[in-house]
Amino acid sequence: MQAVLFDLDGTLVDTAPDLAYALNLQRERHGLPFLPEATIRPYASHGSRGLLEIGFGLLPDHAEFEQMRTEYLELYTQVMTRQPQLFDGMAEVLQEIEQRGLRWGIVTNKPRRFTLPMITHMALDSRAGAVISGDDAPQPKPAPQTLLLACERMQLDPEQVVYVGDAERDVQAGNAAGMTTLVALFGYLSDVDRPEAWGADGCIQQPQDLLAYL
């Protein structure tokens, strides 16, 4: 393998505390009590759609959805750098990847206006070989375009790349791009998720397990 590409939320970085905090601030604004972070956590990989569903029972076809989505994203912008942190063991994994002379990058569906400030805040921007956000290509995951764009920018053969994510769309995109795909079981999976049925090449219980595939 030549490189590893990571999904961001729920795979490389634990952003659930900030995503949950923004949702609870919005609930408070609408006269609702805070939800436990553990209740929100499984929805953190599903973007504002999933968060508004668990927070307010709103789906995209609801008349107030777009207004609430805009409000949520404004709140998240204010708090998104409160406490994002690499998952336990991930710092050592990134260091080992670099020591082996391999490369790594980030491919996320998170919009660029959130992705770049976060990874800059975490001092990851200078280390990643490519950082591709959901709005950097015509179609985000589960389409393969963003993954292929990362390979193009890093001058990589997709067949020599491992893609790690915590959602079914990550596996679908990685498989469509011709990459080896791994599910991060330490990410934001819910009780109804069945990662063993997603068609990935493997599952990892902790970041260190990734090294065996390199």
Side-chain angles (χ1 to χ4, degrees):
M1 291 295 170
Q2 299 172 337
V4 182
L5 294 175
F6 295 95
D7 176 45
L8 184 59
D9 302 81
T11 302
L12 184 66
V13 178
D14 187 2
T15 56
D18 295 336
L19 291 163
Y21 184 61
L23 184 64
N24 276 325
L25 289 178
Q26 188 178 22
R27 282 175 58 85
E28 183 179 54
R29 181 177 288 185
H30 291 270
L32 298 172
F34 272 35
L35 290 173
E37 184 184 311
T39 300
I40 301 172
R41 194 174 187 85
Y43 294 84
S45 270
H46 299 283
S48 55
R49 172 175 176 165
L51 292 164
L52 290 176
E53 181 178 355
I54 187 61
F56 297 94
L58 293 179
L59 295 175
D61 59 356
H62 193 282
E64 296 181 9
F65 180 84
E66 284 304 322
Q67 178 183 342
M68 292 289 283
R69 179 177 180 272
T70 297
E71 181 181 70
Y72 173 77
L73 294 177
E74 288 174 352
L75 288 167
Y76 179 60
T77 299
Q78 299 170 23
V79 303
M80 67 179 180
T81 56
R82 281 176 76 242
Q83 52 179 326
Q85 56 187 350
L86 294 172
F87 279 95
D88 289 344
M90 188 61 78
E92 293 78 8
V93 168
L94 294 180
Q95 187 175 27
E96 177 65 21
I97 289 171
E98 292 167 351
Q99 288 178 346
R100 292 188 187 187
L102 303 176
R103 303 164 70 197
W104 63 272
I106 298 168
V107 180
T108 175
N109 274 6
K110 204 180 194 76
R112 178 162 284 267
R113 68 183 173 116
F114 301 117
T115 304
L116 293 185
M118 177 183 297
I119 66 166
T120 300
H121 171 78
M122 300 181 70
L124 296 174
D125 53 320
S126 61
R127 296 173 63 187
V131 178
I132 307 297
S133 298
D135 47 2
D136 286 337
Q139 289 182 291
K141 298 175 295 183
Q145 281 95 325
T146 50
L147 288 169
L148 294 174
L149 179 59
C151 289
E152 180 181 324
R153 291 188 180 176
M154 296 173 70
Q155 297 183 314
L156 295 170
D157 179 354
E159 294 182 357
Q160 292 297 314
V161 175
V162 176
Y163 186 56
V164 189
D166 68 320
E168 185 174 14
R169 65 175 173 271
D170 297 323
V171 176
Q172 292 170 334
N175 287 344
M179 298 177 181
T180 296
T181 52
L182 300 176
V183 179
L185 297 178
F186 52 85
Y188 304 143
L189 279 75
S190 70
D191 293 339
V192 299
D193 283 323
R194 296 291 178 264
E196 69 280 357
W198 292 349
D201 294 294
C203 296
I204 56 174
Q205 296 281 352
Q206 57 187 351
Q208 294 89 336
D209 295 342
L210 166 62
L211 298 175
Y213 289 87
L214 304 181

